[in-house]
Amino acid sequence: MLSSALFTILPLLAFIPSSLALDDASARSASVYQLVTDRFARPSSVSSTCNVSDRKYCGGTWASITEKLDYIKGMGFDTIWISPIVKNIDGTTGEGEAYHGYWTLDPDNLNSNYGSADDLKALSTALHSKSMYLMVDVVVNHVAATSSSTFQPSSSYGPFSTMEDYHSFCWITDYSNQTQVENCWLGDDQVALPDLNTQSSTVSNYWNNWIKNLVSNYTLDAIRIDTVKHIEKTFWPNFVNSAGVFTQGEVLNGDPTYVGPYQNDAKVNPFNYPSYYPLTRAFNQTSGNLNELVTMTQSVKSGFNDPTLLGSFLNNHDNPRFESTVKDTSLIKNAHAYPFVTDGIPYGYYGSEAGFTGGNDPDNREPLWTSNYDTSSTMYKYFASLNAARKAAGNASTSFYSNQMNVSSLSSSSILIAKQPLISVLSNSGSSASDSSLSIPASTSGWSSNTKVIDAISCETLTTDGSGNLAVTIKQGLPRVFIADSQKGSVCSNSSSSSSGSSSSDKKSSAMKLDLKSGYLVGAVGSILGGMLLAL
């Protein structure tokens, strides 16, 4: 009886993945919500005022994040990126406290301000139970100290307690000098960031073992790497291989010829800073330069092995929020749409959905609880629409995430982004602009004659002409994100827009219920097996 039961279940067990983590292939379809752990959610028992200018801990915890996962998932994000988790320097410095997590003291211990190891494991488990993923930020380049030239490490620094673990003191004064960038120190006399000697086999072997254990101990799905360009490229391939999960790294530079080799040679997938700068310039005013952005997309294509693995973003914790200088809601929506309708993995920064307007650090690290986690706000719903459109396109086409887009100018104030089956028109004409008419050619969209398409943002349904061309009106400078009605899946499912019946994406949505990476199959098989064994 037992052998018969096992024979029945073995074919199902063969389909269970050995790991639920993200790799390059699965990460392309991810949509990441970045949060600052100390500022996203805190226990209800904590009621003190959080003044961002004080740069102090405000009480955010991993356990409190766990309680708010439905808030994040409701926008369509399936991955969360949390702040560095290791023990930081204590006390108040000339630049405040280490609430952000980037001032490492001892990487062998956790930052108790955020909670316990069990809390972090519970967060990971809760995410996986919701078919979501956990990305943790790591700092490998340096530790932190309140002294600079007189710095002397102690046992408090855990594995890095001797001067042989560090590069000799020098400040980075010339960022065009790569030797300085890699070997000298970041920070200042208030908080110095002693640079670890990653050329040392002792240091590099430690980090390779550390990241492997970190991923395993907390069942992490992806890693975000801080200050990648400050470590020699030859260090990274072994580190990435040791992590065994998808890595996204910060190479803070706008030149694709500088950033590209970090993906091509160092094997870290960078954030798309080369596109970030022209993106902000394109939409920060009605006279923004869209051509610069179009040109950069071509430079990125030629400069990177795979642009579809870059991290695409508008806001983050290091740069002023776009909304700190731009108040026009149409410009804001167009700029935020770009990461979701183009090549790469989109990153949304917490508070964007709440309309936060913080400028430079620390103003861009506001406490989210002041927004009361409002799911009815315009931008909350907007991000949900963008994520729904991207997911529908991925369900409708297996090549959507891996095929590279084509970006072209439609007019002096609009660009056309063709990433079939998603076709988008972004404009910087602004909310006060008069309506303008444009035509999306069939040669770009791939649509045939009399094809019904839906705008995922407005839920307006349009139909192509006899040649497959689509006449589009840009109203109040708002973005248009189109997908064929037959491929829309759940897009605008709560609207009154017409439907053409069962579609290929509907069928794929059904199939996606068996998504091996969701973890549901593992639970289902376990339940079946358990039930069968009990019945024996």
Side-chain angles (χ1 to χ4, degrees):
M1 185 74 172
L2 178 59
S3 60
S4 175
L6 289 176
F7 181 79
T8 302
I9 204 70
L10 281 175
L12 287 173
L13 293 175
F15 286 98
I16 298 177
S18 59
S19 172
L20 302 180
L22 294 170
D23 57 15
D24 284 2
S26 56
R28 286 191 184 91
S29 63
S31 183
V32 185
Y33 183 85
Q34 180 199 357
L35 58 88
V36 175
T37 298
D38 182 67
R39 302 298 169 81
F40 176 74
R42 64 183 183 181
S44 57
S45 59
V46 180
S47 59
S48 56
T49 300
C50 180
N51 187 340
V52 294
S53 62
D54 290 341
R55 302 177 186 243
K56 293 183 178 181
Y57 282 99
C58 287
T61 64
W62 296 318
S64 299
I65 296 171
T66 304
E67 296 174 357
K68 298 295 183 183
L69 295 184
D70 286 341
Y71 170 84
I72 299 171
K73 189 172 184 178
M75 282 179 281
F77 293 102
D78 57 22
T79 304
I80 68 167
W81 155 17
I82 64 173
S83 308
I85 62 176
V86 303
K87 182 175 178 60
N88 273 218
I89 60 175
D90 293 321
T92 299
T93 73
E95 296 180 8
E97 298 175 345
Y99 70 90
H100 41 70
Y102 290 95
W103 292 345
T104 299
L105 178 66
D106 181 2
D108 282 339
N109 287 287
L110 295 178
N111 189 331
S112 60
N113 291 282
Y114 305 145
S116 66
D118 286 342
D119 292 335
L120 184 55
K121 290 175 181 178
L123 172 58
S124 178
T125 298
L127 281 162
H128 295 150
S129 73
K130 294 178 180 292
S131 303
M132 297 174 73
Y133 301 99
L134 178 59
M135 171 183 281
V136 165
D137 206 329
V138 299
V139 183
V140 179
N141 176 67
H142 54 261
V143 295
T146 53
S147 57
S148 51
S149 60
T150 60
F151 171 70
Q152 291 290 327
S154 66
S155 59
S156 299
Y157 285 89
F160 306 125
S161 58
T162 67
M163 286 304 294
E164 288 73 23
D165 297 322
Y166 300 87
H167 288 130
S168 299
F169 169 74
C170 58
W171 295 124
I172 301 173
T173 58
D174 180 6
Y175 276 86
S176 66
N177 183 326
Q178 191 62 23
T179 300
Q180 270 198 29
V181 169
E182 293 175 2
N183 295 334
C184 290
W185 297 16
L186 291 162
D188 54 35
D189 286 328
Q190 298 291 330
V191 178
L193 304 178
D195 202 77
L196 289 166
N197 180 15
T198 45
Q199 291 98 336
S200 160
S201 59
T202 300
V203 173
S204 61
N205 288 339
Y206 168 81
W207 279 129
N208 292 337
N209 290 325
W210 177 85
I211 193 62
K212 181 179 180 180
N213 291 331
L214 191 78
V215 169
S216 174
N217 290 343
Y218 300 103
T219 320
L220 306 183
D221 304 295
I223 295 295
R224 185 267 183 181
I225 307 173
D226 187 64
T227 51
V228 168
K229 73 179 184 181
H230 294 280
I231 295 180
E232 64 280 0
K233 295 182 183 69
T234 54
F235 168 87
W236 292 115
N238 285 336
F239 183 85
V240 169
N241 184 62
S242 297
V245 296
F246 179 74
T247 58
Q248 200 93 73
E250 177 208 27
V251 183
L252 211 167
N253 189 291
D255 182 357
T257 63
Y258 180 91
V259 181
Y262 285 92
Q263 182 184 56
N264 307 351
D265 303 328
K267 308 307 178 185
V268 175
N269 296 301
F271 286 90
N272 196 348
Y273 265 103
S275 291
Y276 164 76
Y277 294 108
L279 169 63
T280 56
R281 288 191 289 267
F283 294 103
N284 65 3
Q285 55 186 322
T286 55
S287 58
N289 187 347
L290 291 172
N291 287 330
E292 181 192 11
L293 180 58
V294 173
T295 300
M296 180 56 75
T297 64
Q298 297 302 316
S299 298
V300 168
K301 278 188 177 185
S302 61
F304 290 84
N305 282 350
D306 191 347
T308 68
L309 289 172
L310 302 182
S312 189
F313 67 99
L314 178 67
N315 287 333
N316 65 23
H317 62 303
D318 286 327
N319 300 105
R321 291 185 186 271
F322 185 76
E323 298 87 343
S324 67
T325 57
V326 180
K327 307 305 178 186
D328 187 296
T329 55
S330 292
L331 291 176
I332 290 170
K333 286 185 174 181
N334 277 278
H336 273 299
Y338 186 86
F340 293 85
V341 300
T342 51
D343 291 345
I345 300 160
Y347 284 73
Y349 183 49
Y350 89 104
S352 297
E353 75 278 12
F356 284 180
T357 60
N360 281 306
D361 166 25
D363 295 333
N364 57 356
R365 302 172 181 184
E366 309 97 318
L368 189 62
W369 49 83
T370 60
S371 73
N372 295 316
Y373 307 96
D374 183 9
T375 59
S376 65
S377 72
T378 297
M379 291 305 292
Y380 184 96
K381 294 178 180 178
Y382 183 64
F383 285 113
S385 296
L386 290 172
N387 274 316
R390 187 171 181 270
K391 182 63 69 177
N395 287 343
S397 170
T398 57
S399 62
F400 169 72
Y401 297 114
S402 57
N403 279 357
Q404 295 183 26
M405 65 184 176
N406 288 304
V407 183
S408 57
S409 295
L410 270 181
S411 71
S412 60
S413 61
S414 62
I415 57 174
L416 175 63
I417 301 167
K419 188 171 173 66
Q420 288 86 353
L422 209 60
I423 307 296
S424 307
V425 178
L426 302 185
S427 167
N428 66 1
S429 58
S431 57
S432 299
S434 301
D435 291 355
S436 60
S437 298
L438 302 168
S439 179
I440 299 176
S443 58
T444 299
S445 68
W447 293 323
S448 56
S449 62
N450 303 312
T451 298
K452 186 183 293 185
V453 301
I454 188 167
D455 178 359
I457 307 303
S458 68
C459 294
E460 178 185 5
T461 299
L462 304 174
T463 304
T464 63
D465 64 19
S467 299
N469 302 319
L470 184 69
V472 176
T473 300
I474 303 299
K475 303 175 181 178
Q476 297 179 315
L478 290 168
R480 309 299 298 264
V481 179
F482 296 108
I483 190 168
D485 189 81
S486 61
Q487 299 173 315
K488 69 178 183 179
S490 63
V491 168
C492 295
S493 58
N494 295 324
S495 74
S496 58
S497 63
S498 60
S499 172
S500 58
S502 180
S503 67
S504 60
S505 62
D506 294 329
K507 296 173 184 177
K508 289 187 179 183
S509 293
S510 297
M512 289 296 286
K513 293 177 182 178
L514 295 177
D515 179 5
L516 296 182
K517 287 191 176 291
S518 71
Y520 289 143
L521 182 59
V522 177
V525 171
S527 299
I528 294 171
L529 180 57
M532 293 179 69
L533 292 176
L534 286 172
L536 296 177

